[in-house]
């Protein structure tokens, strides 16, 4: 309610027409890129990118520590590891984050449209109420990190969008893809969405 009260006040300043003329995807991408598009690896990215590099190039470093079985991170290991064979960690990081910014911008804008958020609502919600409060502890956990769960969340959000549009076949497909990037993220999302279907969806007569 607070978001809508503040936005209603700002809309009276004749910003509505100008803001609404900008596609939501561009607004969300700009916010994400401004916050996350860098060449600096965080701790998790450094660890998982090392695993991916070693997985695709076993002769890179003779170390048993880096030879970890990928398990359900196979898609991440193959994709990121492939590019690390030819480009530096910083370059792969930057363009992977760019791809994540584009992916998240596309699906978040579609979810905002379903929720009937105006652009001013997006400007208040995404940077103020979401980016700063993604978790209760340990900092950011969803946006934007080049690690298995960071990529999985893109597909999970697509699954959530298709749940909102009652397209359950597409929802399950994106849940499966997300699970192959990170089994826990995909598994918990599957359990949550199935619970929502059980509790809130009325059976057809």
């Amino acid at each position: 309610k607070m978001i809508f009260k503040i936005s209603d006040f700002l809309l009276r300043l004749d910003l509505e027409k100008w803001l609404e003329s900008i596609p939501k995807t561009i607004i969300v991408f700009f916010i994400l890129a401004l916050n996350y598009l860098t060449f600096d690896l965080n701790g998790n990215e450094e660890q998982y990118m090392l695993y991916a590099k070693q997985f695709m190039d076993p002769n890179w470093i003779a170390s048993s520590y880096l030879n970890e079985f990928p398990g359900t991170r196979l898609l991440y290991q193959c994709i990121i590891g492939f590019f690390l064979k030819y480009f530096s960690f910083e370059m792969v990081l930057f363009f992977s984050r760019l791809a994540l910014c584009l992916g998240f911008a596309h699906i978040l804008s579609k979810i905002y449209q379903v929720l009937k958020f105006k652009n001013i609502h997006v400007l208040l919600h995404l940077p103020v109420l979401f980016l700063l409060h993604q978790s209760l502890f340990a900092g950011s956990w969803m946006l934007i990190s080049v690690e298995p769960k960071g990529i999985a969340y893109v597909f999970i959000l697509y699954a959530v969008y298709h749940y909102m549009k009652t397209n359950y076949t597409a929802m399950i497909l994106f849940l499966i893809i997300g699970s192959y990037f990170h089994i826990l993220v995909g598994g918990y999302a599957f359990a949550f969405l199935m619970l929502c279907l059980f509790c809130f969806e009325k059976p057809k007569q």
Side-chain angles (χ1 to χ4, degrees):
K1 292 182 179 179
M2 180 184 69
I3 293 177
F4 288 99
K5 288 182 180 179
I6 296 174
S7 63
D8 288 341
F9 171 76
L10 293 176
L11 290 176
R12 295 171 190 170
L13 303 178
D14 291 332
L15 295 175
E16 180 178 12
K17 185 178 293 186
W18 177 74
L19 280 173
E20 290 305 315
S21 67
I22 305 173
K24 284 182 174 58
T25 305
I26 294 178
I27 293 177
V28 176
F29 174 79
F30 178 78
I31 293 172
L32 295 177
L34 192 63
N35 281 273
Y36 297 108
L37 204 52
T38 71
F39 290 93
D40 298 324
L41 285 76
N42 63 37
N44 284 348
E45 287 170 333
E46 187 176 79
Q47 176 183 353
Y48 286 113
M49 289 176 75
L50 282 172
Y51 287 147
K53 169 75 172 178
Q54 186 72 5
F55 178 76
M56 293 299 291
D57 188 6
N59 297 322
W60 175 53
I61 293 178
S63 171
S64 59
Y65 171 74
L66 295 176
N67 293 328
E68 183 186 58
F69 178 69
T72 54
R73 296 198 304 273
L74 183 61
L75 287 179
Y76 174 88
Q77 301 278 64
C78 292
I79 295 170
I80 299 300
F82 171 80
F83 287 109
L84 285 173
K85 290 175 65 176
Y86 305 101
F87 304 101
S88 68
F89 282 83
E90 290 79 10
M91 291 296 293
V92 173
L93 174 83
F94 179 85
F95 286 103
S96 296
R97 284 194 173 192
L98 178 62
L100 284 175
C101 286
L102 290 169
F104 276 110
H106 180 257
I107 187 54
L108 284 174
S109 65
K110 294 173 76 69
I111 291 175
Y112 282 135
Q113 288 174 349
V114 173
L115 296 175
K116 302 188 185 310
F117 270 37
K118 294 182 180 292
N119 287 349
I120 189 64
H121 300 152
V122 175
L123 286 173
L124 288 169
H125 171 262
L126 188 58
V128 178
L129 297 182
F130 188 74
L131 295 187
L132 298 179
H133 305 284
Q134 290 190 55
S135 63
L136 297 176
F137 62 93
S140 174
W141 58 269
M142 185 174 182
L143 302 172
I144 282 185
S145 185
V146 184
E147 55 181 300
K149 67 179 179 182
I151 300 174
Y153 277 119
V154 176
F155 297 99
I156 298 308
L157 286 176
Y158 273 102
V160 171
Y161 168 75
H162 286 291
Y163 165 78
M164 297 168 73
K165 301 292 288 185
T166 66
N167 185 354
Y168 301 130
T169 301
M171 177 194 79
I172 292 173
L173 176 63
F174 281 109
L175 284 173
I176 292 171
I177 298 173
S179 297
Y180 272 96
F181 278 100
H182 197 287
I183 186 63
L184 289 179
V185 169
Y188 281 127
F190 175 82
F192 174 76
L193 290 176
M194 291 302 104
L195 182 62
C196 289
L197 285 173
F198 177 77
C199 294
F200 302 114
E201 293 296 323
K202 296 180 180 179
K204 295 181 179 181
Q205 300 297 331

